[in-house]
Amino acid sequence: MKMILIRFTGFLFLGLVLIHCKPKNQESFTVTVNYSHLNKMIPGNPQGDSEASKPPLMLLEEIPYGGDANPIILDSAAMTADKGKIVLQGNGKEEAIYQLAVQNGPIVLLINDEDNITVDIDLGKKDDFYTVKGSKASNELKDFIRLYGERTSAVNKTFAHLDSLKQLAASDSAIILATENKNNAVKGLNDYLLGLINRSEHPSISLFALGLSSRSFQQADFEKSLNDVVKRFPDHAVLENLKSNYELQKAQVAEQEKKKAGNSWVGKKAPDLALATAEGKTVSITSFKGKYLLVDFWASWCGPCRQENPNVVKAYNQYKDKNFTILGVSLDKEKDPWLKAIKDDQLAWTHVSDLKYWNSKAVDVYKFEGIPFNVLIDPQGNIVAENLRGFDLEKRLEEVLQ
């Protein structure tokens, strides 16, 4: 299932998805598995492959908090017939999300809200291949995963449609309509998530949904939901730890952003840089004063730079007659590959380079640590933006050149 990533990516907070919090004390629980059509799941094995010929295992696994470690096997049993029954034992003092995994086969997510849970699995089916009895929370989780997948797929389609319209330079009215459809789809997804987070009686499901909501909620909405869930289940130390971890992550990101802002060129006077063109003519940044200038640092050997070049070409062609131009500054080592890349990528603006790779004067003056990198300079010589990519470049140029 393809997931969306809209905003708030710095706080993806996967720890919320993998949680441990049970409202009642419970040391053990039993999962009875009735499986069928095992032979339909197993493909033909190469002759002599003794390992592949062994009966596959049915595993009951705990998902460690945080998601970094591998699942912990609590119990397992071999499936020796096409149809059979397996009883597995698990341990857990708190309500948690566990997984029932068929070796080289499907995975079922379970919640240990009851002492005895029964799972019927038809290994010959691809969709809707299992049912759960004796666990209200597990069925609620199953329904949530299905509905979330459907709603996420719908949101992804609206994003793809909007992106295609922008690539085709569609009319403003078409883009506005597609944007409204995208926003409505995201709102519908978020409303569904918020409703489930607030109404579920199971902290494990609320937190599972909350973890996914970090992909699409605005930061303020996410924080409110997190605080509300903690208030609803105040006796769980794990929830308090999750909140503390979030606050720590937030502080760390804020510190990084503060440091980044201190190193940013935006709002500063653009340092002058003078390098030679392929013909030997010296060109300086100050010679473009009076125009908006995008200084694009790149190289023929830089894959991401070459992938970004079509976006730069599009922006140049769209705004070159509106007091805007580009100065390409290459970190190439050799002249021929540099000129060939200019021709192949159709970079029809001024280009300079001292052909000194990372020892280039450009690196020393503008202090960047990777390419592609760019700065947008206004007619007065002030840097108004940096590191513009794709649609962000087009959008910023539209703002300053309208």
Side-chain angles (χ1 to χ4, degrees), residues 19 98 101 108 121 136 146 233 245:
I19 62 168
Y98 295 81
V108 174
I121 299 180
K136 180 181 177 182
R146 175 179 60 82
F233 304 102
N245 288 340

Side-chain angles (χ1 to χ4, degrees), residues 118-167:
T118 300
V119 182
D120 295 329
I121 299 180
D122 187 341
L123 297 171
K125 287 185 177 181
K126 183 178 180 181
D127 299 315
D128 198 21
F129 62 92
Y130 75 95
T131 59
V132 181
K133 301 174 184 177
S135 173
K136 180 181 177 182
S138 296
N139 281 306
E140 185 177 327
L141 178 62
K142 179 184 178 182
D143 291 340
F144 166 67
I145 292 172
R146 175 179 60 82
L147 292 171
Y148 178 78
E150 292 174 357
R151 291 172 182 269
T152 299
S153 178
V155 171
N156 286 334
K157 288 179 181 178
T158 64
F159 272 83
H161 180 58
L162 179 59
D163 288 342
S164 66
L165 290 178
K166 290 177 179 178
Q167 291 291 331

Side-chain angles (χ1 to χ4, degrees), residues 271-334:
D272 196 18
L273 176 66
L275 295 174
T277 65
E279 296 76 26
K281 178 184 177 182
T282 299
V283 175
S284 68
I285 287 177
T286 54
S287 65
F288 294 91
K289 193 170 184 180
K291 285 190 172 185
Y292 278 95
L293 174 69
L294 182 74
V295 184
D296 186 35
F297 301 95
W298 72 294
S300 66
W301 46 261
C302 169
C305 302
R306 304 294 295 275
Q307 293 171 13
E308 181 64 21
N309 275 345
N311 295 323
V312 183
V313 170
K314 180 183 177 183
Y316 176 75
N317 290 334
Q318 187 170 355
Y319 294 104
K320 63 181 180 180
D321 297 326
K322 297 183 179 181
N323 200 37
F324 168 75
T325 191
I326 299 175
L327 175 64
V329 181
S330 172
L331 268 62
D332 271 279
K333 296 183 286 187
E334 299 177 0

Side-chain angles (χ1 to χ4, degrees), residues 65-199:
Y65 165 68
D68 294 331
N70 293 324
I72 300 170
I73 299 175
L74 301 179
D75 199 1
S76 65
M79 294 182 289
T80 57
D82 183 52
K83 180 179 179 180
K85 177 179 178 179
I86 288 175
V87 179
L88 302 173
Q89 299 292 327
N91 291 290
K93 293 182 179 180
E94 298 176 331
E95 182 184 289
I97 296 179
Y98 295 81
Q99 65 181 29
L100 188 66
V102 178
Q103 191 174 24
N104 300 318
I107 291 176
V108 174
L109 293 182
L110 298 174
I111 296 175
N112 60 331
D113 58 323
E114 299 294 343
D115 297 341
N116 296 286
I117 302 171
T118 300
V119 182
D120 295 329
I121 299 180
D122 187 341
L123 297 171
K125 287 185 177 181
K126 183 178 180 181
D127 299 315
D128 198 21
F129 62 92
Y130 75 95
T131 59
V132 181
K133 301 174 184 177
S135 173
K136 180 181 177 182
S138 296
N139 281 306
E140 185 177 327
L141 178 62
K142 179 184 178 182
D143 291 340
F144 166 67
I145 292 172
R146 175 179 60 82
L147 292 171
Y148 178 78
E150 292 174 357
R151 291 172 182 269
T152 299
S153 178
V155 171
N156 286 334
K157 288 179 181 178
T158 64
F159 272 83
H161 180 58
L162 179 59
D163 288 342
S164 66
L165 290 178
K166 290 177 179 178
Q167 291 291 331
L168 295 172
S171 65
D172 290 345
S173 60
I175 290 178
I176 290 172
L177 179 60
T179 301
E180 290 179 354
N181 291 336
K182 179 262 294 181
N183 291 340
N184 289 334
V186 173
K187 183 179 184 303
L189 175 64
N190 287 341
D191 288 345
Y192 169 68
L193 284 170
L194 184 60
L196 185 73
I197 291 168
N198 290 335
R199 73 172 179 267

Side-chain angles (χ1 to χ4, degrees), residues 366-384:
Y366 276 86
K367 312 295 183 185
F368 52 87
E369 297 179 351
I371 52 175
F373 176 74
N374 58 42
V375 293
L376 179 63
I377 304 173
D378 70 11
Q380 291 73 44
N382 302 309
I383 296 178
V384 295

